[in-house]
Amino acid sequence: MNLGEILDKVYNQLGKDQYGGYITPRNYNEAIKWINLEQINDLLKVFEEKREITDDLLPFVKTIGDSTSVPLQLDSFGYMDIPEDYYYYVRSSYTQYVNECDGAIEKVRPIEFLNQADFGYRLGTDILAPSLERPIAAIQNNKWLVRPIGVNNIIFSYLRRPVDPVFDYDIVNSEIFYLPPGTVHQNSSVLPAGTPSESVEFEWPESVHYNLVELIVKYFTINIQSAFNLQTLDINKGQ
């Protein structure tokens, strides 16, 4: 479903004639942006419990530093930049080259990602101190910080932030007419005629779309009830 079809489903559940006036394009854009993050946060809860990437979450997993991208290099202090689309840590590792009798061999070492408190504790203890065999990392100064120094060629997997959906439209005969990506404005009711649509669809697979509809309905139900309560309060104050 595109954003227009999703909106139709929301109208059907709420009752367009009764509550359609509450769902303006502006409110709808605010709702879908918020729901977009709600959906990924709901799937993250499953990931945190089972440590498994579901099919619905898989399109948002991004790996950098592997054979398909440039290896990640740390600066001399052990810092590296966080990608702009970073949302949630998944896993990371690096390849350590160890000299043995038959020559150097490769050993993949997982990097343990910690919060700042645990990271600081590990740095201050001898028993659990990070080593080339047991490296650790944390976010510090808006960068990733890895210890010990000497860890390089890191492979890092994370969940990227889903792009914000955008609902663009024309007004035709007093009705909202959705403009999918790739179309243009037919009149100047919103933007000049001929202007390319600014719509951006949800990135979620079709299997998630009905859940998105339910979340949007819930979002508007709560907001409509809040607006009704405020209106009732104002009426009572005026009596």
Side-chain angles (χ1 to χ4, degrees), residues 5-238:
E5 293 165 334
I6 289 175
L7 179 57
D8 288 340
K9 297 288 186 185
V10 173
Y11 278 143
N12 289 338
Q13 289 200 37
L14 286 176
K16 184 175 181 179
D17 293 337
Q18 185 174 5
Y19 295 112
Y22 286 93
I23 307 177
T24 65
R26 178 180 177 180
N27 290 343
Y28 185 52
N29 272 311
E30 290 175 352
I32 59 180
K33 185 177 180 179
W34 187 80
I35 293 304
N36 200 32
L37 295 182
E38 277 294 292
Q39 180 62 49
I40 198 168
N41 288 335
D42 285 347
L43 292 175
L44 278 177
K45 293 175 183 177
V46 177
F47 171 72
E48 289 173 346
E49 291 175 0
K50 300 182 178 180
R51 304 307 296 179
E52 294 179 358
I53 300 293
T54 63
D55 290 340
D56 294 332
L57 203 54
L58 191 59
F60 301 95
V61 177
K62 195 170 181 179
T63 298
I64 51 179
D66 61 3
S67 58
T68 64
S69 60
V70 177
L72 294 175
Q73 298 293 338
L74 308 182
D75 65 20
S76 59
F77 296 100
Y79 284 102
M80 62 181 176
D81 292 328
I82 299 175
E84 291 184 359
D85 60 353
Y86 172 82
Y87 193 72
Y88 189 88
Y89 172 82
V90 176
R91 67 179 67 88
S92 58
S93 63
Y94 90 105
T95 300
Q96 181 187 24
Y97 295 92
V98 179
N99 290 320
E100 294 193 355
C101 297
D102 297 331
I105 63 171
E106 296 181 358
K107 290 193 175 182
V108 177
R109 305 293 191 186
I111 300 173
E112 187 177 1
F113 197 80
L114 305 170
N115 59 42
Q116 288 193 355
D118 291 339
F119 186 80
Y121 172 77
R122 292 281 292 274
L123 292 178
T125 178
D126 292 333
I127 297 176
L128 298 176
S131 65
L132 293 176
E133 289 73 29
R134 297 185 306 176
I136 60 176
I139 293 178
Q140 188 166 299
N141 298 323
N142 294 319
K143 293 178 179 289
W144 285 319
L145 176 61
V146 179
R147 286 291 183 269
I149 292 176
V151 174
N152 280 301
N153 298 321
I154 294 173
I155 297 176
F156 194 96
S157 295
Y158 65 96
L159 290 178
R160 64 173 178 82
R161 181 188 177 98
V163 298
D164 290 333
V166 178
F167 178 90
D168 197 6
Y169 62 100
D170 275 335
I171 297 176
V172 181
N173 297 326
S174 300
E175 293 287 332
I176 296 170
F177 184 79
Y178 176 57
L179 297 174
T183 61
V184 298
H185 286 266
Q186 300 300 309
N187 58 41
S188 299
S189 56
V190 177
L191 291 175
T195 303
S197 170
E198 297 180 353
S199 292
V200 178
E201 297 288 354
F202 280 120
E203 294 184 279
W204 298 102
E206 288 283 341
S207 58
V208 176
H209 286 189
Y210 280 99
N211 189 56
L212 295 175
V213 171
E214 295 300 325
L215 289 173
I216 295 170
V217 169
K218 182 179 179 181
Y219 175 94
F220 279 117
T221 299
I222 293 172
N223 281 272
I224 289 170
Q225 184 62 47
S226 297
F228 176 78
N229 290 340
L230 287 174
Q231 188 179 41
T232 302
L233 182 62
D234 289 339
I235 292 174
N236 291 336
K237 284 183 178 179

